[in-house]
Amino acid sequence: GTKKKAACPGLGLFYTILSAFLFSVASLFLKKIEDVHSVEVSAFRCVFQMAFVLPGLIYYKTGFLGPKGKRIFLFFRGFLGSTAMVLLYYAYQVMPLADATVITFTSPVFTSLLAWIFLKEKYSLWDLLFTLFAITGVILIARPPFLFGSHVTGIEGSYTNHLKGTIAAIASTFSAASTIVILRKVGKSVHYFLSIWYYAVIGLIGCVIALFVLNEWRLPHCGRDRVFLILIGVLGLGGQIFLTKALQIEKAGPVSIMRTMDVVFAFILQVLFLNHLPTWWTVGGALCVVASSSGTAIRKWRHSVKKAKQREI
């Protein structure tokens, strides 16, 4: 018989790099948008998500609510996921692009901690060490005055906004880690499209309510900003698709490590298009966070490979 054609080596890692690039460019466009609140940008992103997922739900006949026993988990997945998106977009708008991107890569550390608390997964001394590395990286980026003095350089605008952005980025990362723990709890009993559907619908409802409460709804003033809003939705969706495809054909460990290219792209785009040179504090914080997230990913990867070999034996 004919042999099955082998998959292209490294294709999953290429998809991961492409996903990181698309996410980074979308973040750059977000920085370029003027006078549009992060909540409104998030609402546009949710509309694109819904438009993409709806045909998939109809094709796979998954329904719109999901299994009865899983709906509460799907609700919290949607709520926490959309909250993470809004907070991250706010962080991008008020602090340097590279700083906000680096903080988001503390997510694996938070995921390990929450999985230990709620899923009773193992939490070793190595995990604790990686957590301390991540905290050190965030401190180097935030540079609180009581440690670094009252004159903080290399930030955008006032230190108050920088601090608000740091808190928003950390809260976004914590929310994103919570969604991963929820998705692990749900497992494969719920279709991937249904998970995104809850994310988009709950996010859109929450964003619309927030915009009316904040009285921040407005159309962008010029055509350029409207194009940027559309591109953010398209690029964000493209990044998510390529990341999903990467995880389908490549092990999670290498994908998690390669995703740190997002930090590299953020630094490059910040220098080239925003004329903002990162400080050595930011570079040091980035190295700490990347080392922490990569170490966590490698440990999880080795553990999964070890378990797979034990099953074969």
Side-chain angles (χ1 to χ4, degrees), residues 281-293:
W281 294 115
T282 298
V283 174
L287 291 174
C288 287
V289 171
V290 168
S292 171
S293 61

Side-chain angles (χ1 to χ4, degrees), residues 90-267:
Y90 175 77
Y92 280 140
Q93 287 185 331
V94 299
M95 68 187 301
L97 178 64
D99 290 18
T101 303
V102 168
I103 293 175
T104 63
F105 275 84
T106 58
S107 179
V109 176
F110 283 119
T111 303
S112 297
L113 186 60
L114 292 173
W116 172 57
I117 295 171
F118 294 105
L119 302 180
K120 308 302 179 186
E121 293 186 5
K122 187 178 179 181
Y123 191 80
S124 66
L125 287 175
W126 279 106
D127 293 314
L128 178 60
L129 179 63
F130 294 141
T131 301
L132 294 176
F133 259 92
I135 293 171
T136 302
V138 172
I139 290 173
L140 290 175
I141 291 170
R143 280 162 281 164
F146 67 88
L147 288 177
F148 293 84
S150 56
H151 299 289
V152 180
T153 58
I155 63 174
E156 291 180 0
S158 66
Y159 180 76
T160 302
N161 282 339
H162 184 78
L163 185 60
K164 287 179 181 178
T166 302
I167 294 171
I170 294 171
S172 169
T173 303
F174 189 81
S175 297
S178 301
T179 63
I180 294 173
V181 172
I182 290 172
L183 289 173
R184 282 190 193 174
K185 179 72 175 177
V186 171
K188 296 181 180 179
S189 60
V190 175
H191 197 278
Y192 173 74
F193 276 145
L194 193 60
S195 175
I196 301 179
W197 174 254
Y198 267 81
Y199 170 90
V201 171
I202 294 174
L204 180 60
I205 294 171
C207 287
V208 170
I209 294 172
L211 285 170
F212 277 106
V213 172
L214 298 171
N215 196 24
E216 288 286 351
W217 171 262
R218 61 174 65 89
L219 282 174
H221 292 304
C222 66
R224 189 191 71 165
D225 285 351
R226 297 174 189 181
V227 172
F228 282 162
L229 275 175
I230 295 172
L231 288 175
I232 288 170
V234 173
L235 292 171
L237 182 59
Q240 195 166 37
I241 290 171
F242 281 114
L243 181 60
T244 303
K245 287 181 72 66
L247 288 168
Q248 287 176 341
I249 62 177
E250 186 60 78
K251 290 183 173 64
V255 170
S256 298
I257 296 168
M258 196 58 68
R259 276 210 67 198
T260 55
M261 284 298 296
D262 204 337
V263 176
V264 177
F265 288 134
F267 274 104

Side-chain angles (χ1 to χ4, degrees), residues 251-309:
K251 290 183 173 64
V255 170
S256 298
I257 296 168
M258 196 58 68
R259 276 210 67 198
T260 55
M261 284 298 296
D262 204 337
V263 176
V264 177
F265 288 134
F267 274 104
I268 294 172
L269 294 176
Q270 178 176 295
V271 173
L272 291 180
F273 298 101
L274 300 176
N275 298 319
H276 187 95
L277 289 172
T279 64
W280 287 110
W281 294 115
T282 298
V283 174
L287 291 174
C288 287
V289 171
V290 168
S292 171
S293 61
S294 299
T296 302
I298 290 170
R299 274 189 57 78
K300 297 290 183 186
W301 177 29
R302 289 183 62 184
H303 181 66
S304 63
V305 170
K306 195 174 180 180
K307 285 183 71 175
K309 286 183 177 178

Side-chain angles (χ1 to χ4, degrees), residues 15-156:
Y15 283 153
T16 308
I17 295 174
L18 185 56
S19 168
F21 179 73
L22 294 178
F23 281 135
S24 299
V25 175
S27 305
L28 174 66
F29 287 150
L30 179 62
K31 294 286 290 183
K32 289 287 190 179
I33 287 180
E34 298 175 0
D35 203 29
V36 178
H37 200 278
S38 58
V39 178
E40 185 174 345
V41 180
S42 302
F44 275 94
R45 169 77 183 273
C46 289
V47 170
F48 274 92
Q49 298 273 87
M50 291 174 64
F52 169 75
V53 171
L54 185 58
L57 292 179
I58 296 171
Y59 178 79
Y60 289 107
K61 300 178 181 179
T62 62
F64 295 97
L65 297 177
K68 285 187 177 180
K70 306 294 182 181
R71 290 174 187 173
I72 185 67
F73 294 111
L74 286 169
F75 171 82
F76 280 110
R77 181 269 183 271
F79 176 75
L80 291 169
S82 56
T83 301
M85 174 179 60
V86 173
L87 291 170
L88 180 60
Y89 281 4
Y90 175 77
Y92 280 140
Q93 287 185 331
V94 299
M95 68 187 301
L97 178 64
D99 290 18
T101 303
V102 168
I103 293 175
T104 63
F105 275 84
T106 58
S107 179
V109 176
F110 283 119
T111 303
S112 297
L113 186 60
L114 292 173
W116 172 57
I117 295 171
F118 294 105
L119 302 180
K120 308 302 179 186
E121 293 186 5
K122 187 178 179 181
Y123 191 80
S124 66
L125 287 175
W126 279 106
D127 293 314
L128 178 60
L129 179 63
F130 294 141
T131 301
L132 294 176
F133 259 92
I135 293 171
T136 302
V138 172
I139 290 173
L140 290 175
I141 291 170
R143 280 162 281 164
F146 67 88
L147 288 177
F148 293 84
S150 56
H151 299 289
V152 180
T153 58
I155 63 174
E156 291 180 0

